Amino acid sequence: MTKFKIALASLVLLVASACQTTDLPSDLSPREEAALLYHRYNIVLNSVLAAVTNPLMNELPEVKAALKDTSSVATAAVSEYVVNAGNCVRAIDGQIVTAPDAEKPCDRRALTQVLSTARAALSKLTEILARHNIGRPE
Amino acid sequence: MLISAGSISLVVGMLDAVAKGVSIVSAVDALHATTERMKSEGRTEPTMEDLKGMVQNLYLLQEQINRA
């Protein structure tokens, strides 16, 4: 069980990592960046799915519920990022620009705020994990 | 602190997830495969339809998680 808890704590880090864009290559177009974020988060969701279906998770019902809630919020945020980024073309000098086929304008600052929502949900999950001594030395 | 690079490796094995962790390398590899496919189709970056398909896939995965 201890190893499983360590794995869960690591999983939270993976989710957090997937929601970061600061370490992405700087020469990507917004759409390429969105695709890269998708690929990262797709891997995370597969890990979350494996975690919540693990029989050991039945011993941690509150953690299981929190993990599902958090991944749901993060999925919505990442999905919004991916679609909105697809509406953007590269911004020049930080200006907001809109692609010809855009369904709505895209503001890169707004994209960052979307991911902040996901990270806030992660903070809440981290607190719940801490209550179960997950992510702390035992 | 129990969280370390080693434990990140552990999560991959323990959870029997997709054979690779969320590293920038694996994601870039995946993106590379996507971009290569797009190039072969004469495109340079994902279309809106590509991105919407990706999002649909995320929500399908999330549905599976919610049902678990």
Side-chain angles (χ1 to χ4, degrees):
Chain A
M1 192 61 180
T2 300
K3 286 184 178 178
F4 184 67
K5 285 185 174 183
I6 295 171
L8 283 177
S10 301
L11 181 58
V12 175
L13 280 187
L14 295 182
V15 179
S17 169
C19 293
Q20 296 287 348
T21 56
T22 52
D23 60 343
L24 296 179
S26 59
D27 59 344
L28 297 177
S29 74
R31 287 185 183 183
E32 288 173 324
E33 184 179 293
L36 182 53
L37 184 64
Y38 159 78
H39 285 302
R40 290 166 65 162
Y41 195 63
N42 186 50
I43 292 169
V44 165
L45 278 190
N46 276 286
S47 299
V48 172
L49 182 59
V52 296
T53 54
N54 189 308
L56 285 174
M57 192 60 95
N58 293 332
E59 297 178 33
L60 301 164
E62 186 189 21
V63 174
K64 182 176 181 177
L67 194 53
K68 290 165 77 168
D69 287 347
T70 303
S71 66
S72 183
V73 172
T75 296
V78 170
S79 296
E80 188 175 342
Y81 184 98
V82 169
V83 171
N84 283 351
N87 288 334
C88 297
V89 294
R90 171 152 319 271
I92 301 171
D93 295 331
Q95 292 181 341
I96 300 168
V97 292
T98 305
D101 62 345
E103 294 174 359
K104 57 183 177 180
C106 175
D107 181 342
R108 293 177 75 82
R109 189 185 302 171
L111 295 180
T112 303
Q113 288 171 349
V114 166
L115 293 182
S116 293
T117 303
R119 287 193 285 272
L122 283 168
S123 296
K124 186 178 173 185
L125 175 62
T126 304
E127 289 173 15
I128 293 172
L129 293 178
R131 286 211 302 273
H132 289 267
N133 293 320
I134 296 172
R136 289 181 176 178
E138 293 184 307
Chain B
M1 192 67 176
L2 290 173
I3 299 171
S4 64
S7 59
I8 289 178
S9 299
L10 181 64
V11 74
V12 176
M14 282 196 60
L15 301 178
D16 192 27
V18 284
K20 53 188 175 183
V22 177
S23 69
I24 186 76
V25 175
S26 60
V28 166
D29 285 347
L31 177 62
H32 182 69
T34 303
T35 52
E36 284 301 306
R37 178 176 56 78
M38 289 186 300
K39 281 179 185 173
S40 72
E41 295 171 356
R43 296 184 284 119
T44 56
E45 62 175 14
T47 64
M48 280 305 294
E49 287 308 307
D50 289 330
L51 294 173
K52 285 175 181 174
M54 293 173 185
V55 166
Q56 190 174 27
N57 187 47
L58 291 184
Y59 277 113
L60 286 174
L61 270 172
Q62 187 62 51
E63 276 181 27
Q64 286 182 270
I65 290 169
N66 291 341
R67 284 199 301 268

